[in-house]
Amino acid sequence: MFYKLSEVISYYQDYGLTGKHRYQYRADSLGYFDAFHLKELRKIHVKQYAKSRRVHVSNATINRELSFARAAINCVMSDYEITLNNPFEKVKFTESDHIPNYLSRSEYERLLSATLITGHHELHDFIVLLTMTGCRPIELLTLEWSNVHLEKRQFIVRNHYSKSKKTLYKYLNDTAYALLESKQRQGDFVFMNSKTGKPYTTFTKSFARCKKRANVNCTMYDLRHTYASWLIQKGVGIYTIKDLLGHGDIESTMRYAHLDYAQYIDAVSLIE
């Protein structure tokens, strides 16, 4: 029934993914394995694939591709209640060490000022909510007013828009609450382009101009890091931050643990 990896992946794209994104670029790269019958695939072939891909992409990208292949095979095995060869199990290549970048309060304020100077109030609100809720950009771009519940001080990120494929509840501090409460509703989505009457799909170009004006080097995703960093520096527990970010495992959250440096400074100050 399933002779090639591409057949497994095609099934996974149709029945295993909850969102609209089919990750076709991963499927195309994994076409490499169609030179083999699925049952003939071995871990050595996976290592050879990684070696050839490493010329063009990082180990992190390769790991995402292998994870995609692994999930596709597991999906077929679960749905059809069969056993397939899965050489992608327990294969992960060492990724480059990544230290999250986060903004200081001064950088955050300069970035907001730049959006107001350029008259881009929607981008201003977008940056505030990214920083005050820890959302990923796509989670806010797809946020509908029907999922905003100010009386509960929260909004809901539906599972087909969250990276973890789980429904997430985002809680509002006073800043986020006041912003949403005062925001004019122009359509179904929170971030609507008044010129086109359609929801925004990106703020990339305007964000690039504003951060240049503010002399701040960051990405939109760094605002999520900023959210986590500010929380941990205020003494919020790592497991609470995990839940607020919607991480599937604590390892993803532990990258921020070093930012709670006050306790370590206090500890080493005990010896003089």
Side-chain angles (χ1 to χ4, degrees), residues 96-102 222 225 255 258-259:
S96 300
D97 191 21
H98 174 68
I99 304 298
N101 178 41
Y102 66 96
D222 288 337
H225 297 322
R255 75 182 72 176
H258 74 283
L259 295 169

Side-chain angles (χ1 to χ4, degrees), residues 19-259:
K20 297 180 181 179
H21 205 324
R22 293 173 59 86
Y23 298 97
Q24 189 59 43
Y25 57 95
R26 292 179 184 170
D28 292 341
S29 296
L30 291 165
Y32 170 96
F33 292 103
D34 272 5
F36 309 91
H37 192 292
L38 184 59
K39 67 181 181 180
E40 296 173 348
L41 280 176
R42 298 293 182 267
K43 281 185 168 51
I44 183 60
H45 300 134
V46 178
K47 291 183 178 180
Q48 290 169 348
Y49 169 79
K51 182 178 180 180
S52 66
R53 287 288 284 153
R54 204 170 284 125
V55 176
H56 305 288
V57 300
S58 68
N59 275 353
T61 297
I62 295 169
N63 284 337
R64 302 297 89 72
E65 293 168 352
L66 301 185
S67 178
F68 186 72
R70 179 169 58 250
I73 294 175
N74 287 337
C75 176
V76 167
M77 288 197 294
S78 176
D79 287 0
Y80 280 84
E81 301 181 54
I82 58 176
T83 300
L84 296 176
N85 175 39
N86 194 346
F88 304 97
E89 287 287 2
K90 298 180 180 179
V91 177
K92 186 174 183 179
F93 298 98
T94 303
E95 300 181 13
S96 300
D97 191 21
H98 174 68
I99 304 298
N101 178 41
Y102 66 96
L103 275 60
S104 66
R105 280 284 176 178
S106 173
E107 290 172 322
Y108 171 69
E109 295 295 343
R110 294 206 311 270
L111 194 59
L112 291 182
S113 294
T115 64
L116 297 178
I117 291 172
T118 56
H120 206 317
H121 295 278
E122 287 295 293
L123 177 59
H124 171 277
D125 293 352
F126 192 68
I127 290 172
V128 170
L129 285 181
L130 283 177
T131 311
M132 295 299 155
T133 66
C135 278
R136 299 176 178 89
I138 188 62
E139 294 170 350
L140 285 185
L141 288 171
T142 54
L143 179 62
E144 298 183 47
W145 282 112
S146 60
N147 289 319
V148 177
H149 304 286
L150 292 178
E151 73 282 0
K152 298 179 181 178
R153 294 182 72 98
Q154 68 181 28
F155 61 77
I156 301 172
V157 176
R158 296 295 181 178
N159 62 356
H160 47 284
Y161 293 125
S162 71
K163 185 177 179 180
S164 64
K165 305 308 177 188
K166 297 179 181 178
T167 299
L168 303 177
Y169 294 85
K170 294 293 182 177
Y171 300 95
L172 307 175
N173 63 10
D174 289 345
T175 301
Y177 177 88
L179 188 151
L180 286 171
E181 186 182 41
S182 63
K183 195 168 180 61
Q184 184 178 358
R185 302 192 182 197
Q186 299 179 344
D188 293 337
F189 291 85
V190 173
F191 288 96
M192 296 286 294
N193 188 326
S194 59
K195 295 181 180 178
T196 64
K198 297 179 180 180
Y200 280 99
T201 57
T202 182
F203 286 103
T204 302
K205 291 183 179 179
S206 53
F207 184 72
R209 289 194 296 268
C210 286
K211 66 181 186 179
K212 182 177 180 180
R213 175 183 284 271
N215 192 27
V216 174
N217 183 24
C218 70
T219 66
M220 284 189 182
Y221 208 91
D222 288 337
L223 300 177
R224 176 172 164 85
H225 297 322
T226 300
Y227 170 79
S229 301
W230 288 358
L231 284 175
I232 204 165
Q233 290 178 48
K234 290 295 185 179
V236 178
I238 197 74
Y239 282 93
T240 298
I241 295 173
K242 167 187 172 295
D243 292 340
L244 289 171
L245 289 172
H247 282 160
D249 57 73
I250 194 63
E251 290 184 8
S252 298
T253 320
M254 286 303 295
R255 75 182 72 176
Y256 304 108
H258 74 283
L259 295 169

